[in-house]
Structures are given as C-alpha cells and as structure tokens.
Amino acid sequence: MFASSAGMLNRHQKQVHALDGIDLDIYEQETLGIVGESGCGKTTLGRTIIGLIAPTSGQILFDGQDLVNASKDAKKSFNREIQMVFQNPYTSFDPRFTIIKCVSEPLKIHTNLRGAALTKRARELLEQVGMPGEILHRYAHEFSGGQLQRIAIARALALNPKIIVLDEPTSALDVSVQAQIINLLQDLQRQFKLTYLFISHDLSVVQHISNRVTVMYLGKIVEQNTSEAIFEGQAHHPYTQALLSAMPSVVKELRRKQIILEGSVPDAANPPKGCNFHPRCPVAMPICSIAEPVLDNSGAGHPVACFVVNPIEKSTDEMIQ
Amino acid sequence: MQRLDYILKRMVMAIFVLISVSILTFFIARVVPSNPAAAWVGPHPTKEQIEKATLELGLDKPLYVQYQRYMQDLLSGDLGTSVRTHQPILSDIKTFLPATLELVFVGMLIAVLIGIPLGVLSGAFKGSWLDHFTRLISIAGVSMPVFLLGLLLQLLFFRQLGLLPLGARVSTEVALFHPVTPITRMYLIDSAVTGNWTAFKDASIHLILPALALATYPIALAIRMTRSTMIEVLNEKYIMAARISGIRERSVLFILALKNAIVPTLNALGLAFVYSLTGAILIEIIFSWPGLGTYVTNAVLGVDFPVIVSVTLIMTVFYIAINLILDILQAFIDPRVIIG
Amino acid sequence: MNAPLLAIEDLHVHFNTYAGTVRAVNGVSFEIRSGEMFGLVGESGCGKTVTGLAIMRAIPSPGRIMKGRIFFQGEDLITKSESEMRDIRGGRIAMIFQDPTASLNPVFTAGYQISLQITQHRHVSKKEAKQLAFDMFSEVGLPHAKSIYNTYPHELSGGMQQRVMIAMALASGAELLIADEPTTALDVTIQAQILALLSQLRESEGLTILLITHDLGVVAETCDRVAVTYDGHIVESGTVDDVLYQTKHPYTQGLLAALPDTVRHKQSLEVIKGSVPDGLHSVSGCSFHPRCPKVMDICLDQPPSLIIVGEKEHSASCYLYMEETA
Amino acid sequence: MTTVAPDLEIPIEDIKAGKRVTEYHLMWWAFRRDPLAVLSLVILLGFILGAIFAPNLTPYPEQGRGDPNLLEKFSPPNQGHLLGTDYLGRDVLTRILYGGRSSLAIGFLVVIVAVLIGVPLGAISGYYGGWIDNLVMRITDIFLAFPPLLLAIALASALGASFTNTMIAISFTWWPWYTRLVRAQTLSLRERYFIEAARSIGVPSWKIITSHVLPNVMTPVMVQATMDLGGAILVGAAVSFIGLGVQPPLADWGQMVSIGRIYFIERPWYAGSAGLAIFLVTLAFNLLGDAVRDAADPHTRRVVDVGR
C-alpha cells in the first residue's frame, strides 16, 4: 500500500512561526522562568537554546559567542555547558540501558573517563541527587517518576554545565514529589553555581523557583519582570493578569478576582493580525487588531508588549503601516 | 474541499507509482537479463532472431531511448508477441484475464463475507471459544500452501465424495451443447445475461472449489487484521467512555467500534486482493483454469519472457487501481485520514 | 442538611495481578449531598479514579469490588443488575475524564455522539434529539451549536472537546456528574473556563458534582466539601474550609506544605519523606506511619478509623485525635 | 465487562532480590509457559536437524541427491519407505529431508537479506525524516505496488531459474516491509525524550541509531521475522511450484508438489507429504511468531511495574 502519512506532495505546508522575534537575556546563576500555555513556544525555545532545533534566523550568544553559526568543535563544547532535563521522566531513559549507561553517556562523548573512573563518577553523580550508588546496574523501569527525574538531573550534571534548561521537570510528578525535586534543584543551584532556564505552565512553581519571569503567548514574549513583582501585583499585561487570576490556589490571599478569557489559544500556523492576544483580550482597543505591540519599558517600568500599558504617542501611523 | 484535495493527491501518487513501476519492469525486461534480446525471442534463438530483436527493441541505443520506445509501445497497447502462441500478448491477455478476474472476485467476495465478520466477533469476544476457533482457522489459513489446499479439496470433493468437478471452467457437455456466448468472458455474468442457466449452474459448480481454495488465505488475513484492530479499538478510551455512559453493547461494537476498525481492515482487503491475484496463478494450475495464471505458468515453462513481464505489469496496474479505490474509500469513512 | 445523594460505605476494590493483590481502594466511605460539589483529592495511585469507576460499576478487567455498598438515592448500586446499571450509567450518573481528545470517538461527529447518547436514554425522535443536542451545546457554552453538531472531534480545541463531553454527560439528565481530573490536560485559562462552567451548571441545573483531582488549589476554589485519600482510604474529610485551613491529618498538612505557593519565594518546601505505597505491599497499622513526622507507637500496628475531629463532621483517621474525642 | 484472564506467575522474587531482569528475561519466561510455542520450536528443530543430518539419517542418501531407483516406482508407504516412493522410485521421506535444505535455506536467507536491507533503511528514514524519508518511502511504495509473487517470478525468470536467483528475487520483494515497520517504530521512538537527550548531549546520529534506535526496534522486528520465515518458505515453494527455483535432480518441496500433483488423485502420498512439510514448517513459524509477540507484549505478559 502506498498510503504513507507525509507524502512528498505535502511539502507546501505553511511555515509555522513557533517563535517570533524572541529577545531574551539569562544572567549567570539566576533562574529565569518561562511561563505560558500550550502552543506559546516555551518548549521550542528550550529546544532551540539547547541546539535541538536550528532557528530560522537570529542569534544565541553564550558568553558572547554565537551558538547557531558556531563551528562543529565549538558546538561540541557548548554541548557541555548547556544541559536539559525533560518533562516526562518515564521516556527520558532508554529502556534497554542500565542507569550507569544512561548517566555516563555524556561522559563517554565528552571526556576520556572510562572503566572504574567512569563508574566512580556516575556513582558520585547519583549520590549528589540523593540516589544510592547501588542502583547503577538497574533499569529505568524499576524506578518511580520522582526517582527518574533525580537520575535525569544527575545526567544533566555530569559535564559540570553552566546552564540547565528545565522543561516542565515536575509536571508529571505528584505534589509531594514535586516539592522534593524543587528543593533538590535549589540546593544544586547553590552548590554548583548553576543557571536555570525553568520552563513551566504552572505559575506557582515558576514563581517559587525563579528570579525573573518571562510570560509568553503564541510565540512571543508579552511581559518580563522579577518574580516577586509579577506575583505581588505588578503584572501589567492583560494576559499575565488573566493567567494569574486563573491559577487556583489554596492560599486565600492569592485568590484574585477571576478573569475568564474567552476561547482558546489560536493556531500558531495562522496567528491573528496585530497583537496575537487581541481576540481574547478583555481590554482590547481598535489598534490592537491592526498593529503589533513591541516589548517596551515606558509604561510600566519593565518590558510589556501591550498598547494599553504603553500608549502610543509617537509614530502611530508608522506602526499602523 | 479537503477531501477532494486528498483524492487528487492520491491519484497523483498512483500515477507516480505507475510510472515508477513501468521503469522497474523496463529494467527487469531490458537490463537484468544477461542477454535481453535472447530473452525476448525465447529459447534456442538463432543469431538472426537476436539481431532482429536487438534492432526492434533498440537495444543498441542508450537506455533512455529504449525506455521511451518501451513506453510508446506500452501506451499504444503493444505488449510484444508471445514466443509460444505467436499472438500479440495483449489479445492473449484479453482472452485469459476475465477467467482470472471471475475467480478472484468470487474468492474475494467469500473472503470479505466470511473473514471480516469473523474477525470482528473474534476481536470483540477475545478469549471465547469462537475466538480460539477463529484464530486456529486463521493461523492455519496463512500457513497453508494454496496448491496443497487445492489438491486436498480435489481429493475430498472429487475423488472421495464425487460431489464436485476436478477442474476447468465448465464441463465438456456444456462447452459443446450450451456454449457461453462470450460478452465479458466472465461465464457467470455472460450466462446470466444470455439466460443460459444450464451453463450458469455448471460454471458455478466449477467455481466452488478453486474459489474456496483461493479465498482461504485472504479469509485468514482478513480475520487476523480485523481482529487485531478490533481489539485495539475496543481498548480505546472513547469505547470505555461510551460504555460508561450506558450505550448498548450492540451499538458499541457494531457502530462505535466497527467504524474505527474498518479503515485498517480496508488495508487488509488491499493485501487480500493481491494475495488472491498471485494465489490465482497457483490455483489455476491445479484446477486447469484457463486464466492468466495458467498463461504465465506456461510462459515460465516455455521461457516466454515477454509474456511474464507483461502479465506482471498488468496485474500490478490492477493492484494499484484497487489500492487507489480503497484509499479514497477511507477518506469517506475516517475524517482524520484526510489531514493525516 | 440534605439527605445524601450518594453514600459510599466501606468500599474495597482489589486488582488481582500476577504480583499479588493490589488493594486500590481499601475501605473508602463518604457521602455526597444533593447539589454540592464534592472534592475527592489525592496523589496518583491513591485510588481516587478507581472509586469513581466503582460508582459506575465499571472497574477494568483484573479489578473487582470486593466489599462495600454504594447507595445512590437510597438504592444500593452493587445489587443492581447489569441492565439496570446501563440505565443508570449516563442516565442518572455521568462521568467525564481527564483527556477529552481520547474520550471522543474520532470518526463520528460531535452531534452523532450526543444524539446516540440522548436516544439511548430518552424516548425521543431523532429530530427532538437533535434539538436537545443544540440546547445542550449552548448550555455548556459552545457557540454555533449547529456547526458544532456536524464537527468531528479533531476539529475542536481541548476546551471545546471537554465542553462536548460535559454536554454529552448531561444530555440524558444525569443528576450526579463524576468529573475525573476534568481539567488536568487543559491549559490554565481553559481550566478556569471549565471550572466556571461546572459551577454554573451546578447553580442552574442543581447538578451534584464529584470532582476527582490531585490539585488542592482547584478544590479550594470550587468545592464545598472534600475528602483526602491516601493508599486507598480516606484520611481526612469535611468542609473545604475545615480540611484546608483547620487541617488535622499529618498527610493533609504535608500536602499543603509541599505546595509552592504556600511557601515564601525561593525557600525550601516542606517535604513528605518517602513515597506513596504501591497498594501491593500492605503497610501495617496506619499506612501513612512510615512517612509521618508525628508517628507514635500505636500507629504501627492498628489502622486508625475515621473519627469526628471538629465541627460540621470534620473527620480524620489519626491517633493524634483519638484521645481528645474518646 | 471483560473476563478476567488467569493470573500468571512471574519471577517477582527475582525482581525483588535485585537480580537483573531485562526485557529478554521476561520474554523468555513468558515464552516457556506457552505450550504451542514449545511445540512449534520442537517441530522446527526436527526439520532443521533433519535437513542438516539428512545423509546420516536416511538409508538412501544417494536418492536424496537425485539418483533414480526405477524398480520401486510409486510404491505406497511401507516399512522400507515410510512415506512411499516417487515417480523415479526414490524414498519420499529422504527427498523431504533433503528438500528441507533448500526450503529452509530460502526462508532464512530471504528474511536475513530483507532484515539487513530493510531495518537500517527504515531506521535512517524514520530518524532523519525530510527528503531522505520521502525518497526511501517512495521507493518502498514502488516495490509494494507489485504483487510480490509476480515480481519474484519476473525477476527470477529474467535472472534464470536457480536457487540463488529465486532467493534474490524473493528478497527483492520483501525488504520494504521491514523498512515500513522499522520506520514507524522509529517515528514513535523519536517522540520519546531519551533520543532528544542523547542528541542534546551531542551523541552523533549514527551512534543514536545504532545504540538507541535499533535495539529498541528489535522486538517487533523479531516477531515479524519469525512469521516471515514461514511466509518466505511459502513464496519460495510457490516459485518452485511454478518451475523456477531449485531444479531437479535436487530436491525441493515446492518442486515435489509441482511434479506430484499430476499423480495426486491416485497417489497422494508424494505431493501430499511435501505439501504437508511446507504447511507444518510455515505453521510452526507462524505460531512461534505469535508466541514471541505475546511474550513481548507486557499486556499479555501482564507485567506491572513494581517500582511505581
């Protein structure tokens, strides 16, 4: 049968702007939280930074060097500096590999450690994340989600990286296990002077662990501020406000008046004109459906991309064009 | 609109496959044999024959010119001349193809009518005696060499019971005294159309054993595929959701589950069809059935290379057409096929 | 106080696997009153989903209801015949699930599925069923009911799919809706929409809802009363205010303390040591004792029973409160 | 709603005791408990050993190689000839043992060649995607558009009737199925994070394919290969039956049925025993494949992850 899914006639697919003009700085030893709903591009962002996806255009600078157009050797050394922990611990490990094989995979690629020295290092890594060294010869299916996520963190630490991209590392875990993992991440950050890029849809977790928070919507950054500010009443973008209000919490003081947004996130292949958020925005103005707002400090003192927050005075005509 | 797009896409694909298939058969005909010209003229060729064939086929020219000529011949219906019958192959095929198609269609009909319902029931009542029995039949069916089955059927129904004829399309008396007027050359249709019921009955009786033998593998295949898709579908969450919302088990099985299971089953039918086509080659030998299978087997024995290549091409075209029809059918059953 | 709409007494559900008997539900009792939103909360593997399925008498294959009674409007569901249950399922009690995409049949339109549901439980003509479906669609906030009717599930967003599921659940007039993690697969803003819809249906239709969830925040914002499950039984139950803000059981306390929003930024979270038991190897005494920070000698051998520890039937199963009440 | 399957026992104590239990241990454990699987294994071993040690097992090795024995033409089964003799008076059982050599060899060789071509192509196609995938898939489309037996017949007659050419011709039609299978498996593997994890560390693609992808697709390939051993034998027999393939005086099951069918109604033992041999071997491979699949499927094996 010649019925295959993606035929060669399917090629004329529309280009999807998963990420659209993202500007982001991450500082040493900070935790930058990326928050947004599905389809906002947060996972694509993480995968682009780690080098799994090549950006169509733009630069990723690490210590001032461009990662995207770097030479093969340079890329290999960047691989050591940036590591990633994935969302689902159950599929993060090859079911046919023992734990030692999993944890030492990066070491085999990037270092000359072999034999006993390799085993010693793997054991050491596991102990750093609170797992006993005896588990080296077991298989992933013998462990719980929380234990696997610890092992995944051990693997990420193997090469002494500077940055770890954490893509929803606790979303598959129970609350009590999530707390263990968050505490572990915070301890390790202090101990190894790590920089985290923490991607999550869960605002309470992001607020707890991050220094700064970036809110994304449909491939774009809509607001960026310190964690405290965003969660203590300094959220200016209507989307950030709606997200915060929708977050259920047991803490009575945190319960805000609910802003219920209409509809759902539009298809990234077919984004709305003007501001991506305007079809769902409770305070949308006529201009929002025509022009695209940019990140601007002027209205709120921190970057917000919204015409309501940053009223346009100067070049309205220019923008409308 | 999307559906039309999908259907057009499938048609373009089918044409692409057709062209590629013609290239491949061209290679088999003109490049693979150590001496294509000799292969083309048959066993024990004379020097002059080879030289003549070389010129005719343009074997001294570059490959693309040869292919061009090959395609021109094909499109004008010139499949070459049979080494054995000395007839144009196309007219031979016209004579033999209806007999094969009649056999294959009846076999397929039996396979669909028996195989798919059995597969559904077997999957729905997994672990029941019916399921075990059906699985036994299906695994024996895919393991049974079709020629052995044909011989065993003859032994039982002709030799032991004396109920059914040994072979051929009609008995000698009918051929002599109630001959079927050739219209489509499918005897069941022709005799029915002309009201020749003696011949119709005789042809039907002659069809029973070969069609049954031919249907065995497709039945087994249909059971296996339908059963496994049915089991898969019945494990889906939406089936549990339907059961939990109190939908009658009958509706769950024969409406909600079956429509999901039918799409992969259509694929099974495509496969069943191709096995029927090739099975027919073997069955025709056993039952002295004057169809394409007998034609191609005699060609193999008589080293009639042009015939072998042409029959391969014709049957492949049939297979591609059937697959195209099944693909289009799918689009009308499962909306996800179109966007997938 | 209303009479209970649903009362579960000492429910036990076991799964016989090769590895031994998994006690998924091990003595669960609670009551749901008519018109309330009742939260059943717990971590994965605590038996909350199995409890929901048990009410429907739809425990999957190796599982069996070993013991217990389930009273719905005073009738014991355990003693019902399969055909009586079929009328109750979907007709009087409906259930929706976590993943609406998987719960909707992909090859039938939303309209066909809801109509099948309606004609199954009500004696109405096809035309009436269609009109009813339109009404249900607009009731659950689906705009353009007519076009939704002819839409295949894959053409709808997750939030809309869940609305269709809710419409189907309510189409035949169910009084009790069991919502098993109805918003877990959805985005935060969509979760808010669905929760608001459930609250609204409760007001307008007098619907009683059993909300099964792992999210204490959701419970705090939507439910009236709540039961916290651990290892197949209930450790604490009562009004939401009592259970979440006058918390008695150490497990509930631990769960609350582990929430990132209850603790100041960047500080360590409270952690319950160890992990949830697997239901396969039974723990002697109170099954929480190996993880309990306040464990006492008595906790090791006798399982505690659920006792009243406060006002409005606030109860907990913990020896810390046994003396006080005794 | 569904019936409760009987509980199997699994080496739970071994797991608890910390013994290394791999996927293959569990498969073998489940496999051993399946009587049909063991029976088919015994049948197959019988045929394979019979083929290998044919000269030592039969009193008529020269007849196995083709020497006629015209004095005993068509004797029905008797003490000296358990399955009777053929049209040249040769012992049918001996011919069957010898004929097993070519039939079994065709089965194994075809499947090995198909796996060797199809599996890497499928893994590469699924792993890289893009134009490579498109190209490979279109090529498989073309091969799968032919009725396999016919393509094999056309190729074998172009190459000339012989054992080797039959083998080449059948392999030619077989590999695309493995490409399809492995590609689909690879695509679903790519959804799992451990492949991404390896990529993000900088593990080279070839190494990801050899160390992560291929080992993880081996189980379905094994199941398919086991069943295909039977299928390939069936097609090989069909090609021989038509007259291509192994030529007399060498023995071959398909060829034996082909010659014996003329005498079948009066003397069924000759073609019948050869046909039965094909049937038994194919059946055994199919049962074995079923058993391997069941053993590999955690649902039928009913393994619960104990750690969770």
Side-chain angles (χ1 to χ4, degrees):
Chain A
M1 255 119 293
F2 44 92
S4 76
S5 52
M8 69 171 190
L9 299 149
N10 269 344
R11 196 88 59 77
H12 53 81
Q13 269 172 349
K14 251 192 222 153
Q15 197 174 6
V16 178
H17 290 272
L19 294 176
D20 194 359
I22 298 285
D23 276 307
L24 205 63
D25 296 313
I26 308 171
Y27 304 107
E28 231 178 309
Q29 293 189 48
E30 78 161 341
T31 302
L32 175 66
I34 310 273
V35 179
E37 297 178 281
S38 52
C40 76
K42 55 187 193 300
T43 296
T44 311
L45 178 66
R47 296 175 37 144
T48 311
I49 291 170
I50 194 99
L52 288 170
I53 301 175
T56 323
S57 64
Q59 286 185 308
I60 299 169
L61 300 178
F62 176 78
D63 274 344
Q65 283 176 284
D66 188 5
L67 293 187
V68 177
N69 302 309
S71 68
K72 227 178 173 183
D73 284 346
K75 270 188 180 157
K76 197 172 174 188
S77 74
F78 292 139
N79 276 336
R80 301 186 59 145
E81 304 289 2
I82 310 178
Q83 297 290 317
M84 189 155 177
V85 173
F86 297 92
Q87 180 172 5
N88 186 342
Y90 297 105
T91 70
S92 290
F93 297 94
D94 191 325
R96 306 226 178 262
F97 273 31
T98 52
I99 297 301
I100 185 171
K101 255 183 122 180
C102 295
V103 173
S104 58
E105 196 175 25
L107 294 167
K108 278 192 187 147
I109 297 286
H110 290 278
T111 69
N112 295 323
L113 285 180
R114 293 293 180 273
L118 190 74
T119 312
K120 189 168 161 273
R121 174 75 180 132
R123 190 177 279 266
E124 189 181 290
L125 283 164
L126 287 172
E127 278 158 10
Q128 273 166 3
V129 297
M131 294 294 288
E134 288 76 55
I135 63 163
L136 278 176
H137 300 289
R138 295 179 162 259
Y139 290 89
H141 67 84
E142 301 174 56
F143 297 95
S144 70
Q147 292 170 324
L148 287 176
Q149 209 56 308
R150 284 173 189 270
I151 301 169
I153 294 168
R155 176 171 61 186
L157 288 174
L159 298 168
N160 297 315
K162 287 219 172 73
I163 304 178
I164 299 184
V165 177
L166 302 152
D167 183 9
E168 306 248 15
T170 62
S171 68
L173 308 176
D174 277 322
V175 189
S176 60
V177 182
Q178 164 173 290
Q180 296 171 3
I181 298 294
I182 289 176
N183 285 350
L184 173 69
L185 285 171
Q186 289 183 334
D187 292 345
L188 292 171
Q189 183 168 39
R190 256 171 259 132
Q191 199 181 340
F192 297 106
K193 303 194 177 356
L194 293 165
T195 304
Y196 287 153
L197 183 74
F198 194 98
I199 299 168
S200 177
H201 68 280
D202 187 336
L203 284 135
S204 60
V205 175
V206 168
Q207 166 252 304
H208 182 82
I209 201 170
S210 314
N211 303 90
R212 291 188 304 133
V213 174
T214 296
V215 183
M216 290 181 67
Y217 186 80
L218 207 60
K220 287 184 181 171
I221 295 176
V222 297
E223 185 162 9
Q224 199 167 37
N225 206 347
T226 64
S227 178
E228 285 96 336
I230 285 213
F231 289 94
E232 280 157 28
Q234 294 295 303
H236 283 81
H237 197 283
Y239 178 64
T240 315
Q241 291 172 346
L243 261 189
L244 281 166
S245 84
M247 176 183 108
S249 173
V250 295
V251 183
K252 282 178 174 163
E253 302 83 69
L254 284 179
R255 285 198 214 158
R256 299 159 179 89
K257 193 182 164 289
Q258 283 223 331
I259 306 167
I260 300 211
L261 294 178
E262 303 249 311
S264 48
V265 183
D267 184 6
N270 197 6
K273 261 195 173 166
C275 172
N276 277 343
F277 185 57
H278 87 263
R280 302 177 73 198
C281 183
V283 293
M285 304 184 297
I287 183 159
C288 301
S289 56
I290 307 163
E292 229 178 291
V294 291
L295 275 179
D296 187 354
N297 286 335
S298 63
H302 65 268
V304 181
C306 178
F307 290 122
V308 180
V309 180
N310 306 313
I312 351 138
E313 298 136 52
K314 11 171 192 168
S315 45
T316 317
D317 306 321
E318 207 180 80
M319 299 205 71
I320 289 176
Q321 280 178 355
Chain B
M1 234 21 246
Q2 267 182 322
R3 187 173 283 158
L4 194 68
D5 268 8
Y6 168 84
I7 293 172
L8 282 176
K9 247 182 226 172
R10 282 281 157 244
M11 289 180 153
V12 174
M13 283 289 280
I15 291 169
F16 161 81
V17 172
L18 270 178
I19 294 170
S20 316
V21 159
S22 75
I23 295 175
L24 198 63
T25 35
F26 165 75
F27 266 83
I28 292 173
R30 303 291 155 81
V31 183
V32 176
S34 50
N35 187 350
W40 208 248
V41 262
H44 319 300
T46 61
K47 215 171 170 196
E48 295 81 50
Q49 278 177 319
I50 292 178
E51 276 163 14
K52 194 167 155 249
T54 308
L55 267 179
E56 255 174 39
L57 301 174
L59 289 172
D60 47 345
K61 307 239 168 50
L63 273 182
Y64 68 93
V65 180
Q66 290 184 39
Y67 178 67
Q68 206 184 351
R69 187 177 287 199
Y70 172 83
M71 278 311 280
Q72 270 169 3
D73 287 351
L74 269 190
L75 292 176
S76 61
D78 180 5
L79 298 175
T81 307
S82 163
V83 176
R84 256 174 359 96
T85 64
H86 303 289
Q87 295 286 318
I89 294 173
L90 190 68
S91 77
D92 276 355
I93 286 179
K94 276 184 189 155
T95 319
F96 294 120
L97 182 64
T100 301
L101 285 184
E102 184 166 46
L103 185 59
V104 167
F105 284 143
V106 173
M108 280 295 286
L109 196 69
I110 297 174
V112 170
L113 291 181
I114 295 177
I116 291 180
L118 271 185
V120 170
L121 291 174
S122 171
F125 302 102
K126 195 180 152 200
S128 66
W129 66 266
L130 178 84
D131 181 34
H132 289 307
F133 176 70
T134 311
R135 287 185 77 185
L136 198 74
I137 292 187
S138 75
I139 207 156
V142 290
S143 309
M144 175 64 82
V146 65
F147 40 79
L148 177 66
L149 184 68
L151 291 173
L152 292 175
L153 286 175
Q154 285 178 338
L155 192 64
L156 180 66
F157 287 98
F158 172 74
R159 170 76 199 230
Q160 300 294 327
L161 302 175
L163 283 176
L164 293 167
L166 188 60
R169 293 183 79 182
V170 285
S171 55
T172 327
E173 299 120 79
V174 169
L176 287 176
F177 303 114
H178 304 275
V180 180
T181 327
I183 305 167
T184 61
R185 286 179 204 268
M186 295 195 213
Y187 282 8
L188 288 187
I189 296 177
D190 292 354
S191 58
V193 168
T194 53
N196 185 351
W197 297 112
T198 323
F200 184 84
K201 193 177 155 220
D202 190 58
S204 305
I205 287 173
H206 279 81
L207 250 171
I208 294 175
L209 285 188
L212 207 62
L214 187 59
T216 305
Y217 195 98
I219 288 174
L221 205 66
I223 288 176
R224 284 182 87 120
M225 305 259 300
T226 315
R227 177 180 183 272
S228 68
T229 27
M230 200 65 192
I231 289 171
E232 212 170 283
V233 169
L234 287 175
N235 275 326
E236 293 284 346
K237 192 99 184 242
Y238 53 79
I239 294 296
M240 176 168 111
R243 282 176 171 159
I244 276 193
S245 56
I247 306 285
R248 260 186 300 268
E249 192 62 14
R250 198 160 15 110
S251 315
V252 169
L253 283 188
F254 290 100
I255 300 174
L256 298 179
L258 187 59
K259 197 175 176 194
N260 279 281
I262 207 90
V263 168
T265 306
L266 284 180
N267 282 326
L269 283 187
L271 266 187
F273 180 80
V274 74
Y275 280 110
S276 298
L277 270 186
T278 48
I281 300 175
L282 307 167
I283 281 297
E284 285 179 11
I285 304 170
I286 301 281
F287 288 95
S288 324
W289 196 264
L292 271 195
T294 307
Y295 185 51
V296 83
T297 315
N298 288 334
V300 168
L301 295 175
V303 202
D304 194 345
F305 191 54
V307 168
I308 297 169
V309 176
S310 302
V311 173
T312 305
L313 192 65
I314 294 288
M315 287 209 178
T316 305
V317 172
F318 260 93
Y319 181 36
I320 292 172
I322 287 280
N323 268 327
L324 182 64
I325 293 168
L326 292 176
D327 273 353
I328 292 173
L329 262 180
Q330 286 185 8
F332 284 92
I333 296 171
D334 188 345
R336 290 168 304 173
V337 168
I338 298 168
I339 50 159
Chain C
M1 204 135 290
N2 298 326
L5 180 72
L6 182 82
I8 294 181
E9 287 176 12
D10 198 25
L11 182 70
H12 291 255
V13 181
H14 293 178
F15 287 76
N16 289 313
T17 70
Y18 71 87
T21 302
V22 175
R23 295 172 173 81
V25 175
N26 211 10
V28 160
S29 307
F30 61 86
E31 287 179 6
I32 303 178
R33 292 162 199 156
S34 201
E36 75 173 345
M37 175 106 78
F38 187 90
L40 190 62
V41 71
E43 298 184 280
S44 53
C46 70
K48 54 191 194 301
T49 296
V50 177
T51 304
L53 291 172
I55 298 170
M56 289 304 221
R57 288 253 316 268
I59 302 288
S61 136
R64 277 181 67 192
I65 298 176
M66 303 303 288
K67 197 178 156 192
R69 310 222 273 176
I70 301 170
F71 290 102
F72 179 68
Q73 293 179 331
E75 302 164 59
D76 189 353
L77 297 183
I78 303 284
T79 61
K80 295 276 181 206
S81 72
E82 186 55 32
S83 73
E84 284 172 315
M85 266 323 283
R86 199 176 304 130
D87 290 334
I88 292 171
R89 289 187 197 119
R92 291 163 69 193
I93 310 176
M95 188 161 178
I96 58 171
F97 301 94
Q98 176 173 344
D99 186 356
T101 315
S103 305
L104 284 165
N105 199 319
V107 300
F108 291 97
T109 59
Y112 182 90
Q113 297 186 50
I114 192 170
S115 294
L116 185 68
Q117 175 73 23
I118 291 170
T119 49
Q120 185 82 63
H121 291 287
R122 291 184 176 185
H123 296 283
V124 290
S125 70
K126 276 199 172 164
K127 213 178 149 193
E128 287 167 312
K130 195 168 180 178
Q131 190 52 50
L132 254 166
F134 287 166
D135 294 348
M136 283 320 297
F137 282 156
S138 34
E139 180 139 9
V140 298
L142 285 168
H144 318 298
K146 278 181 193 164
S147 68
I148 298 274
Y149 192 89
N150 293 316
T151 304
Y152 286 97
H154 69 90
E155 297 166 311
L156 299 169
S157 69
M160 289 166 100
Q161 289 173 342
Q162 196 59 293
R163 283 175 197 270
V164 170
M165 286 306 295
I166 294 171
M168 283 171 63
L170 303 181
S172 9
E175 295 138 83
L176 173 66
L177 176 69
I178 303 173
D180 185 4
E181 304 265 10
T183 58
T184 307
L186 306 175
D187 277 323
V188 195
T189 58
I190 309 299
Q191 162 168 297
Q193 292 173 358
I194 298 292
L195 292 176
L197 171 67
L198 289 179
S199 299
Q200 174 215 321
L201 286 170
R202 190 186 144 201
E203 307 260 305
S204 61
E205 305 284 296
L207 187 67
T208 309
I209 298 170
L210 169 58
L211 182 72
I212 297 172
T213 180
H214 69 281
D215 191 333
L216 286 165
V218 169
V219 169
E221 302 215 349
T222 58
C223 294
D224 306 300
R225 294 195 309 126
V226 61
V228 181
T229 55
Y230 183 80
D231 193 31
H233 58 265
I234 288 179
V235 294
E236 185 162 4
S237 70
T239 64
V240 166
D241 277 344
D242 284 341
V243 173
L244 296 189
Y245 306 107
Q246 307 285 323
T247 315
K248 297 292 185 191
H249 197 282
Y251 174 65
T252 322
Q253 289 169 347
L255 270 188
L256 284 163
L259 290 174
D261 43 359
T262 57
V263 177
R264 276 207 61 78
H265 175 67
K266 280 271 178 181
Q267 285 179 343
S268 282
L269 297 167
E270 291 282 335
V271 163
I272 309 175
K273 63 183 180 189
S275 56
V276 182
D278 56 12
L280 190 62
H281 311 94
S282 53
V283 183
S284 68
C286 169
S287 61
F288 187 59
H289 86 256
R291 308 176 69 195
C292 185
K294 298 174 183 166
V295 60
M296 303 177 291
D297 286 345
I298 187 171
C299 306
L300 304 185
D301 27 68
Q302 265 297 358
S305 52
L306 203 61
I307 52 154
I308 305 282
V309 293
E311 284 168 33
K312 296 178 197 152
E313 296 177 23
H314 183 193
S315 19
S317 68
C318 181
Y319 286 112
L320 284 174
Y321 308 101
M322 290 284 179
E323 288 154 324
E324 290 172 29
T325 49
Chain D
M1 281 169 197
T2 19
T3 50
V4 180
D7 291 329
L8 298 173
E9 279 175 34
I10 206 155
I12 187 83
E13 291 309 320
D14 292 354
I15 297 177
K16 277 197 231 150
K19 268 201 221 161
R20 297 289 61 82
V21 182
T22 65
E23 189 69 20
Y24 292 118
H25 283 113
L26 291 172
M27 273 173 69
W28 174 235
W29 173 87
F31 183 85
R32 274 192 335 223
R33 271 155 190 77
D34 185 344
L36 274 180
V38 176
L39 178 71
S40 21
L41 208 57
V42 170
I43 293 178
L44 288 173
L45 276 177
F47 273 104
I48 292 170
L49 293 178
I52 295 173
F53 298 108
N56 312 77
L57 290 172
T58 166
Y60 320 102
E62 71 291 341
Q63 294 177 11
R65 278 179 228 110
D67 288 1
N69 173 26
L70 294 172
L71 293 176
E72 284 188 276
K73 260 169 56 170
F74 289 129
S75 43
N78 58 48
Q79 282 212 323
H81 305 282
L82 290 176
L83 295 176
T85 62
D86 69 4
Y87 65 109
L88 293 176
R90 298 172 296 199
D91 180 49
V92 171
L93 183 57
T94 305
R95 294 294 285 175
I96 294 228
L97 289 181
Y98 274 86
R101 294 178 161 190
S102 59
S103 287
L104 288 166
I106 286 260
F108 281 104
L109 286 174
V110 163
V111 171
I112 288 168
V113 172
V115 165
L116 285 181
I117 301 174
V119 170
L121 264 182
I124 287 168
S125 176
Y127 182 79
Y128 286 102
W131 68 268
I132 298 181
D133 184 33
N134 255 321
L135 180 74
V136 174
M137 281 302 102
R138 294 299 78 77
I139 294 175
T140 60
D141 280 350
I142 299 163
F143 280 91
L144 295 178
F146 284 96
L149 180 62
L150 270 169
L151 184 58
I153 290 173
L155 252 179
S157 50
L159 293 165
S162 79
F163 170 78
T164 326
N165 291 344
T166 309
M167 204 272 301
I168 292 173
I170 300 174
S171 310
F172 211 63
T173 67
W174 220 285
W175 65 269
W177 293 107
Y178 287 91
T179 308
R180 282 287 175 90
L181 174 75
V182 171
R183 175 181 176 267
Q185 295 284 328
T186 309
L187 285 179
S188 79
L189 272 182
R190 281 204 58 159
E191 306 270 298
R192 307 224 239 149
Y193 286 117
F194 67 86
I195 303 275
E196 291 221 333
R199 280 176 62 206
S200 77
I201 295 163
V203 181
S205 296
W206 64 267
K207 196 151 188 211
I208 294 182
I209 292 179
T210 51
S211 68
H212 290 293
V213 175
L214 290 180
N216 277 293
V217 301
M218 267 354 262
T219 307
V221 167
M222 254 165 62
V223 172
Q224 191 60 45
T226 315
M227 296 198 177
D228 280 356
L229 282 168
I233 287 174
L234 220 49
V235 174
V239 174
S240 293
F241 178 79
I242 285 168
L244 295 160
V246 179
Q247 300 297 312
L250 285 177
D252 177 272
W253 294 342
Q255 172 217 97
M256 285 166 78
V257 183
S258 178
I259 296 169
R261 76 183 163 87
I262 308 158
Y263 322 106
F264 183 75
I265 293 299
E266 301 307 319
R267 305 179 180 91
W269 61 84
Y270 174 38
S273 1
L276 209 62
I278 301 171
F279 174 63
L280 274 180
V281 169
T282 312
L283 184 71
F285 276 124
N286 274 318
L287 287 172
L288 204 63
D290 258 8
V292 174
R293 185 186 49 210
D294 286 352
D297 180 356
H299 292 295
T300 48
R301 199 174 61 211
R302 292 160 51 84
V303 170
V304 171
D305 287 294
V306 206
R308 259 168 236 171

